[in-house]
Amino acid sequence: MQDKSILIIGAGFAGLAAGIYAQMNGYRSQIYEMHTLPGGLCTAWKRKGYTIDGCIHWLVGSSPQSASNRIWREVGVAQGREFVNADEYMRYEGADGRTVIFYSNIDRLEQHLIALSPKDEAVIREFTRAVRLGIALDQQPTDQDAPLVKLGKAIRLGWTFLTCRKDLMRWMNTSTDQFVERIQDPLLREAFKSTWPSNFSMIFMAFTFSYLSDQNAGYPIGGSLPMSQALEQRYLGLGGQIHYSQRVEKILVEHDRAVGIRLADGSEVRAGRVISAADGHATIFDMLDGRYTDEKVREPYEKWPVFPSLVYVGLGVNRTFADEPKTVSGISFPLRQPQEIGGEQVERIDAHIFNQDPTLAPPGKTALTVMLTADYAYWKELGRDPAAYTEKKDQIARQIVAALEERFPGIGGQIEMVDVATPLTFERYTGNWKGSFEGFMITPENANVILKPMSQRLPGLENFYMCGQWVEPGGGLPTGIMSGRRLLQAVCKEDNQRFISRAD
Ligand SMILES: Cc1cc2nc3c(=O)[nH]c(=O)nc-3n(C[C@H](O)[C@H](O)[C@H](O)COP(=O)(O)OP(=O)(O)OC[C@H]3O[C@@H](n4cnc5c(N)ncnc54)[C@H](O)[C@@H]3O)c2cc1C
């Protein structure tokens, strides 16, 4: 009989989810996590009474009516959590005085965009049709549905899929750049272009708006860390064990079988199976010394673009922002003069005001973040000189405060806290390759992974598995949970046992 012990590397969303389903299915699992906290990228930190949330903007599947919500309840993240569905995804303020409002509601979005640029009506309607297709595909049967309703939904879903497959493929194979080329209005084109990476598959953008319109991508009050702690509690409640501050250096292999792990302190732990829910590059090329790869395994690391790393600035402001909209992603405004910030030419600032979540700041005050795309190589080089690195962070803090002053006059005197995280911060605390914040991007070149997921195994290596954002292009928290779940389903299948899942 197969040994039922499992070692899991990493207590991010994927590792914790894998552990939860392992425990539910009668396996004895232990997680080894190098950090002192659960959650990996889904985290937050405190400064001067403010909480800087380092992750969550929206959780797809937040609506109790959605099919995935049941799974979020299985892993314990949805219960007792209040989600806010903001009216706006984001505001894009133009230098010409006009503003593009990306409303969450699809009818409102369509009307607004067409009013803003009537000459782009055809392309706007094409986009909103794709969003509505996503809404139709999101109407999946759930356990709460009466049997006839369930059947009706299943038939409708199958029919939509069959009749719209071609459309879906077209959106999968269209990049943001290809789409925006067709938009005539310069501000609208710029707004679409700068909201999403250029080689992103448009299916991603369309489906994000589907979930938002469906009120199925809410922001959880309290932010990221409480969600990670909820997963941790669920895992511990099922009898799992987490070892914090334990960095895994090597995966032990004997006769092409994973048999355990070696920790940074040199100690070794053995088990029947090993799962890595840590960074993919480090797992394959460092922990396993690149011994179990083929072209298919190497291709993503050689050719696929990754989500960039970030300069992530958290601010605490002694004021409220009652006059500003509550948004999912913030307000983007142009700078009077472009400037170099952290090695990048910056023309506009995206300020995310957490006025939807008073728990992140003392009463009457507000937490705010500014997220800037960063060049990992630039920061890696700068990091070699600690004094220059610190000075650059201080300079960025001053630059961001000055930039915010342009849009929110007087804010400079109200800012009580500024904290600058860099690609090296993301790398140090989560180990993600190049400091990436979400793993591989879905582009037209690899969009088929939506239909045919990446393998969670490595060629030639038995008893070893991977889950998390490096085997699920597009990344994200729901994907992390589904990745751990998919993996345990496969493990149960290997052991000829029925996969069990339950929400308590
Ligand atoms: C700014 C930002 C905003 C985001 N917004 C959203 C959003 O709104 N919605 C959404 O769904 N997603 C969002 N994401 C993405 C989401 O956070 C990630 O895709 C997801 O958390 C990845 O989970 P994971 O478990 O695959 O990886 P990780 O979170 O990276 O977990 C890996 C874990 O492994 C540990 N580890 C690594 N190496 C070792 C080692 N050698 N030994 C032991 N432990 C190790 C790490 O410390 C970490 O805990 C955002 C991310 C960021 C940074």
Side-chain angles (χ1 to χ4, degrees):
M1 197 190 137
Q2 176 79 33
D3 182 337
K4 302 263 300 187
S5 59
I6 301 182
L7 298 177
I8 299 171
I9 308 169
F13 257 51
L16 287 164
I20 288 167
Y21 290 109
Q23 293 300 123
M24 276 183 199
N25 284 280
Y27 293 90
R28 284 174 286 111
S29 70
Q30 297 183 60
I31 301 181
Y32 285 80
E33 165 57 51
M34 67 177 184
H35 197 7
T36 52
L37 289 171
L41 285 161
C42 187
T43 197
W45 51 100
K46 287 241 183 232
R47 295 284 183 275
K48 297 187 183 169
Y50 292 90
T51 301
I52 302 167
D53 197 281
C55 176
I56 189 81
H57 294 69
W58 69 82
L59 183 75
V60 172
S62 61
S63 160
Q65 276 79 44
S66 93
S68 32
N69 194 264
R70 189 192 110 94
I71 296 174
W72 305 170
R73 278 182 279 121
E74 286 172 4
V75 295
V77 289
Q79 291 91 328
R81 205 162 303 282
E82 183 191 344
F83 288 94
V84 176
N85 291 292
D87 286 344
E88 298 179 17
Y89 172 69
M90 81 172 299
R91 268 187 188 211
Y92 190 90
E93 299 177 347
D96 63 1
R98 294 184 301 157
T99 298
V100 179
I101 304 176
F102 285 103
Y103 285 108
S104 299
N105 177 279
I106 190 60
D107 298 327
R108 224 171 148 194
L109 176 69
E110 187 175 72
Q111 279 164 21
H112 168 70
L113 296 184
I114 293 172
L116 190 96
S117 176
K119 59 182 181 256
D120 285 311
E121 178 168 350
V123 70
I124 291 166
R125 285 199 189 279
E126 225 181 285
F127 175 68
T128 51
R129 252 201 318 278
V131 176
R132 291 194 175 95
L133 171 59
I135 294 173
L137 291 173
D138 199 26
Q139 308 307 309
Q140 294 174 19
T142 70
D143 288 349
Q144 291 102 294
D145 292 332
L148 271 180
V149 175
K150 213 169 175 174
L151 182 68
K153 276 189 177 177
I155 293 171
R156 245 195 329 271
L157 194 66
W159 178 250
T160 308
F161 193 74
L162 271 179
T163 49
C164 301
R165 197 163 192 276
K166 246 170 131 179
D167 266 357
L168 270 178
M169 298 302 285
R170 190 164 54 84
W171 285 105
M172 264 163 64
N173 294 328
T174 304
S175 70
T176 316
D177 263 359
Q178 288 164 335
F179 174 74
V180 299
E181 254 172 41
R182 299 176 46 214
I183 300 175
Q184 296 177 49
D185 183 274
L187 178 66
L188 193 56
R189 191 183 324 126
E190 188 190 311
F192 266 98
K193 197 174 164 63
S194 71
T195 308
W196 298 85
S198 59
N199 48 1
F200 223 38
S201 166
M202 278 297 292
I203 193 93
F204 223 77
M205 191 195 294
F207 278 24
T208 298
F209 280 98
S210 312
Y211 299 131
L212 290 171
S213 189
D214 239 1
Q215 306 226 316
N216 189 22
Y219 165 87
I221 292 293
S224 299
L225 193 54
M227 288 208 306
S228 296
Q229 286 164 335
L231 272 181
E232 178 205 48
Q233 287 310 308
R234 178 74 169 137
Y235 176 63
L236 295 176
L238 287 162
Q241 287 178 43
I242 310 183
H243 307 271
Y244 285 111
S245 305
Q246 297 282 359
R247 175 192 287 273
V248 175
E249 294 227 310
K250 290 286 173 209
I251 291 157
L252 303 175
V253 177
E254 288 171 4
H255 310 296
D256 295 329
R257 278 175 178 271
V259 294
I261 53 176
R262 181 178 310 132
L263 301 168
D265 65 9
S267 58
E268 294 185 355
V269 191
R270 293 186 165 240
R273 286 185 166 97
V274 178
I275 294 174
S276 177
D279 171 63
H281 191 275
T283 299
I284 297 168
F285 299 103
D286 300 335
M287 294 182 210
L288 286 164
D289 298 313
R291 277 178 296 151
Y292 297 95
T293 67
D294 58 14
E295 210 179 309
K296 211 162 164 205
V297 172
R298 285 190 301 271
E299 185 190 347
Y301 296 93
E302 288 166 1
K303 296 194 180 144
W304 294 1
V306 297
F307 282 92
S309 195
L310 304 170
V311 164
Y312 197 82
V313 185
L315 301 110
V317 195
N318 185 5
R319 62 167 278 197
T320 56
F321 289 82
D323 297 342
E324 300 295 346
K326 294 188 168 97
T327 67
V328 176
S329 253
I331 298 173
S332 175
F333 62 91
L335 292 173
R336 279 185 213 125
Q337 292 295 329
Q339 44 177 304
E340 191 248 281
I341 304 181
E344 299 283 310
Q345 193 65 6
V346 176
E347 292 179 3
R348 53 174 50 244
I349 295 289
D350 296 352
H352 189 185
I353 302 165
F354 284 82
N355 50 355
Q356 83 283 31
D357 190 351
T359 69
L360 302 187
K365 303 181 179 186
T366 312
L368 213 135
T369 60
V370 171
M371 208 164 116
L372 299 167
T373 300
D375 177 14
Y376 172 78
Y378 169 91
W379 284 96
K380 195 75 189 160
E381 186 55 36
L382 195 64
R384 292 183 209 289
D385 179 348
Y389 176 76
T390 307
E391 169 46 31
K392 182 54 78 181
K393 289 198 352 164
D394 292 346
Q395 185 193 14
I396 290 174
R398 291 191 297 275
Q399 285 177 298
I400 294 299
V401 172
L404 289 170
E405 186 69 37
E406 290 184 19
R407 171 64 176 75
F408 306 100
I411 200 171
Q414 299 157 337
I415 290 175
E416 300 182 324
M417 178 279 295
V418 189
D419 176 84
V420 180
T422 75
L424 302 191
T425 320
F426 283 92
E427 186 182 48
R428 188 167 66 248
Y429 285 109
T430 70
N432 277 290
W433 190 43
K434 299 181 180 175
S436 169
F437 78 93
E438 214 165 314
F440 296 119
M441 276 193 212
I442 296 190
T443 66
E445 286 69 39
N446 66 6
N448 62 341
V449 293
I450 296 175
L451 302 174
K452 190 174 180 304
M454 276 174 84
S455 172
Q456 295 180 308
R457 309 286 308 265
L458 291 178
L461 182 58
E462 291 298 308
N463 297 355
F464 176 75
Y465 313 80
M466 290 172 72
C467 65
Q469 61 181 10
W470 295 99
V471 286
E472 312 283 351
L477 303 170
T479 322
I481 295 172
M482 297 304 286
S483 186
R485 197 175 192 272
R486 167 163 87 98
L487 176 47
L488 260 295
Q489 281 172 326
V491 167
C492 286
K493 200 167 170 203
E494 273 177 18
D495 288 352
N496 293 317
Q497 69 177 61
R498 199 167 65 84
F499 174 76
I500 296 167
S501 64
R502 60 171 196 276
D504 290 344

